[in-house]
Amino acid sequence: MKKITRRYFNRRLSEGLLGTAVLAHAPLACAMGGKEGQGRSLGIALVGLGSYSTYQLAPALQNTKHCHLAGIVTGSRAKEQVWASKYNIETKNIYNYQNFDTIANNEDIDIVYVVLPNSMHAEFSIRAAKAGKHVICEKPMGISVAECDAIIEACKIAGVKLGMGYRLHSEPYTQEIKRYVKEKTFGEVSYIMAEAAYRSNGNPAQWRLNKALSGGGALVNMGVYSIQSSIYGTGENPVSVTAQEFSTRPDYFKETDETITAQFEFPGGATGSIFTSHNANANSLYASCNKGWFSLKPANNYGPLAGETSRGPIQFPHESQQKLQMDDFASHILYGTENRAPGEMGKRDMIIVEAIYQSIAEGNRKIALDLGKMGLVSESN
Ligand code: NDP
């Protein structure tokens, strides 16, 4: 009998070609959704053990229900030892960037989570897909739209699921904003303002200030949050963007953008304004509607977020956003629930990023966008 590999299974699953004989195959039954996946926890391998993996993702994975930390991929021998003993990771589940592709043979790993500098997202997401693993890719998805296309294509060919590390889509305040927009709780949105910025004073040699590794500055790092806020805060993709860049510390920000503002037009008539910077602290979302307003401040940090509307404050209990996000993605694989942040959403945001840079390069010219409903998982975001 032909051995059914996970890669084969994933591809057939995505093509809808699985027969009942295959569905009875116990170890892989998790991926088909429904009750066969009940109680299963998917193994995640984190790729790149920097600050986000160390202080957010790994701790969150100690409390997840549908997934767990099963492996690591690192260029550091010292981190291999520290992580192996701290998280009880088996030696056979530890990889480096050179032998990473052999993860294809490791049944303990279902999902590869790429948490590397931005310019490495595409390479490792594609290698993960080719290894037959589901992929979570951190933001920004890549450093160009072409890279986003390549990741999406690789996942499609391999028949694996692709999700973005957009933690806010699993977070209750953000979901409440989406509900207001969908149900028109405060009427039609006419203006959205979104800020996402922090002041950077760190090591001038860090990769975020190196264009080859980061692909850009504040815009690709924090700006992605303000782009996202304006989209789920209106429920629409913008049809035009006009942008401006400001530089006050060129000695520090030698290669990457320091501060960017941009204005959006939305198809329903709303206008939007975003601010992003590596030279100021700002973190909010505000929407003016024809029957009131809603706001979040902070809107995009690790939480707890805080919200207020024209009808009063809103409050939700705090849970790790990363825990909710990874459980949502695992649940999508196991039970076919909504993929709250699919790859198309990451690509859409990169199209907007490129249009913003284009507007700046062309003297703040208004750039038309034709995104339709691209990347909107539902009417509400
Ligand atoms: P760090 O600089 O803290 O870590 C990056 C890690 O990548 C390093 O520790 C290293 O891990 C590995 N690496 C491999 N090659 C290189 C290289 N040439 N230069 C530097 N590091 C390298 O970054 P963060 O953890 O803050 O960010 C990683 C990714 O996560 C980024 O894409 C960022 O945008 C995203 N992020 C997302 C957040 C969110 O809220 N969704 C929040 C923070 C970051 P090792 O030593 O194991 O090889």
Side-chain angles (χ1 to χ4, degrees), residues 45-75:
L46 295 176
V47 188
L49 308 180
S51 72
Y52 196 52
S53 289
T54 305
Y55 301 113
Q56 301 301 328
L57 298 176
L61 281 164
Q62 306 315 300
N63 298 310
T64 37
K65 189 172 154 204
H66 303 302
C67 52
H68 61 277
L69 179 60
I72 51 174
V73 184
T74 177

Side-chain angles (χ1 to χ4, degrees), residues 34-112:
K35 69 174 191 259
E36 293 80 359
Q38 287 296 336
R40 244 209 94 183
S41 169
L42 301 180
I44 291 192
L46 295 176
V47 188
L49 308 180
S51 72
Y52 196 52
S53 289
T54 305
Y55 301 113
Q56 301 301 328
L57 298 176
L61 281 164
Q62 306 315 300
N63 298 310
T64 37
K65 189 172 154 204
H66 303 302
C67 52
H68 61 277
L69 179 60
I72 51 174
V73 184
T74 177
S76 158
R77 294 306 294 266
K79 288 182 192 173
E80 285 184 6
Q81 289 173 6
V82 171
W83 280 64
S85 84
K86 182 166 184 184
Y87 293 111
N88 212 10
I89 295 169
E90 292 181 58
T91 308
K92 71 179 178 62
N93 293 354
I94 299 176
Y95 296 87
N96 57 44
Y97 302 122
Q98 289 70 42
N99 68 15
F100 168 68
D101 308 275
T102 62
I103 206 167
N105 307 318
N106 191 331
E107 291 287 320
D108 291 350
I109 313 293
D110 301 280
I111 300 169
V112 165

Side-chain angles (χ1 to χ4, degrees), residues 70-229:
I72 51 174
V73 184
T74 177
S76 158
R77 294 306 294 266
K79 288 182 192 173
E80 285 184 6
Q81 289 173 6
V82 171
W83 280 64
S85 84
K86 182 166 184 184
Y87 293 111
N88 212 10
I89 295 169
E90 292 181 58
T91 308
K92 71 179 178 62
N93 293 354
I94 299 176
Y95 296 87
N96 57 44
Y97 302 122
Q98 289 70 42
N99 68 15
F100 168 68
D101 308 275
T102 62
I103 206 167
N105 307 318
N106 191 331
E107 291 287 320
D108 291 350
I109 313 293
D110 301 280
I111 300 169
V112 165
Y113 194 155
V114 179
V115 205
L116 291 162
N118 308 340
S119 67
M120 300 171 77
H121 290 183
E123 178 191 339
F124 280 85
S125 296
I126 291 167
R127 284 169 70 179
K130 286 184 174 165
K133 305 300 177 185
H134 302 292
V135 179
I136 307 178
C137 177
E138 256 314 322
K139 46 93 338 211
M141 187 170 183
I143 60 169
S144 67
V145 174
E147 284 194 351
C148 301
D149 278 330
I151 296 172
I152 291 169
E153 182 67 7
C155 290
K156 201 169 141 199
I157 290 170
V160 297
K161 307 280 191 187
L162 170 62
M164 292 298 302
Y166 285 153
R167 56 190 159 76
L168 293 172
H169 287 274
S170 300
E171 184 282 330
Y173 287 88
T174 307
Q175 289 183 343
E176 182 73 349
I177 296 297
K178 290 187 199 176
R179 188 179 70 78
Y180 295 157
V181 172
K182 183 176 187 183
E183 296 176 5
K184 299 195 190 306
T185 312
F186 299 94
E188 302 287 344
V189 177
S190 50
Y191 172 66
I192 182 100
M193 187 279 299
E195 302 169 321
Y198 67 81
R199 184 173 161 85
S200 173
N201 279 318
N203 178 1
Q206 64 181 288
W207 67 262
R208 281 193 172 83
L209 299 174
N210 174 331
K211 183 134 190 240
L213 285 169
S214 63
L219 182 62
V220 298
N221 185 22
M222 299 304 289
V224 172
Y225 291 109
S226 52
I227 291 170
Q228 284 254 314
S229 288

